[in-house]
Amino acid sequence: MKDEIKNKLDALFVDDTNRKIKSEQKRNIEAEQQAAFIEQFRAKTDEVIAPAFEDFILYLRPNGWNGSVQRKSETPTGNNYGRGVTSTSSSLERVSLAFTHASRNIKGIHNTNEPHFTVICEKAKRLVTFHEATPSQAGGAGSAKLDDITADYLHEKLVTYFKKLMHDARPYDER
């Protein structure tokens, strides 16, 4: 083989190796940023989210409503995210406020669980997303930057959600 051909091939191999190194560096930086975001979300949960949820429930209790704050940290094993389903979700952390009522038999949509409002850590997007479930509906409820999450912000979101929940949980008239 001519030296000219060998040089062209060697240049291709060097270029390929450099692309591989840059790709690995990019993945490592992204993984570090995602890990840092998860830690920031956990701190925000301890300092803001869970206390805001607890305050909301304390205010509802005299009217027969109760709730519980549930934290969930999923640890993926390979591509299985603990539910027998392959997932590409970037969400590994979530905090939910599940609602109950003393005299109303309310279940989440399809009677699967209690109605809830959930704050989800989307590490790949470095955003916080919201999910809500009432007896008649479930779905996304927007997103926000982690820095925008305050107790007041969450209380506003919860009032909007709770209005839907109260409508779906009315025992005294037809829906």
Side-chain angles (χ1 to χ4, degrees), residues 4-174:
E4 182 182 328
I5 297 296
K6 290 179 182 177
N7 290 339
K8 288 180 181 179
L9 286 172
D10 288 342
L12 288 173
F13 291 132
V14 167
D15 186 47
D16 186 60
T17 300
N18 287 338
R19 267 188 269 137
K20 179 182 177 185
I21 291 169
K22 285 181 183 177
S23 177
E24 288 173 356
Q25 289 172 338
K26 184 179 177 182
R27 276 194 305 274
N28 290 340
I29 290 169
E30 182 65 24
E32 289 171 7
Q33 291 173 340
Q34 289 179 6
F37 186 75
I38 290 171
E39 288 307 313
Q40 292 167 355
F41 180 83
R42 288 176 180 158
K44 183 70 82 162
T45 296
D46 293 340
E47 297 165 9
V48 177
I49 300 170
F53 281 3
E54 292 292 342
D55 287 346
F56 196 79
I57 286 301
L58 285 174
Y59 193 82
L60 299 180
R61 280 192 181 134
N63 292 297
W65 289 91
N66 203 353
S68 62
V69 178
Q70 302 165 352
R71 298 177 190 216
K72 190 171 196 176
S73 178
E74 300 173 354
T75 305
T77 310
N79 286 334
N80 184 322
Y81 284 71
R83 295 178 297 274
V85 176
T86 300
S87 174
T88 58
S89 171
S90 67
S91 164
L92 296 175
E93 301 284 328
R94 62 187 66 221
V95 183
S96 294
L97 178 53
F99 291 89
T100 58
H101 190 276
S103 65
R104 302 178 194 191
N105 184 14
I106 56 173
K107 290 285 184 187
I109 192 163
H110 307 300
N111 290 325
T112 56
N113 53 17
E114 296 171 325
H116 61 273
F117 182 86
T118 303
V119 180
I120 304 165
C121 174
E122 294 288 347
K123 67 177 185 171
K125 298 175 187 175
R126 286 190 267 311
L127 278 176
V128 173
T129 59
F130 305 99
H131 182 271
E132 56 188 29
T134 69
S136 70
Q137 66 176 343
S143 63
K145 293 179 182 178
L146 189 60
D147 290 341
D148 294 338
I149 305 298
T150 64
D152 291 338
Y153 181 89
L154 288 172
H155 290 155
E156 287 292 333
K157 299 277 297 173
L158 285 166
V159 166
T160 301
Y161 164 77
F162 194 70
K163 182 178 178 181
K164 296 174 195 175
L165 177 59
M166 284 189 71
H167 178 269
D168 284 357
R170 291 183 300 195
Y172 40 81
D173 62 6
E174 293 182 25

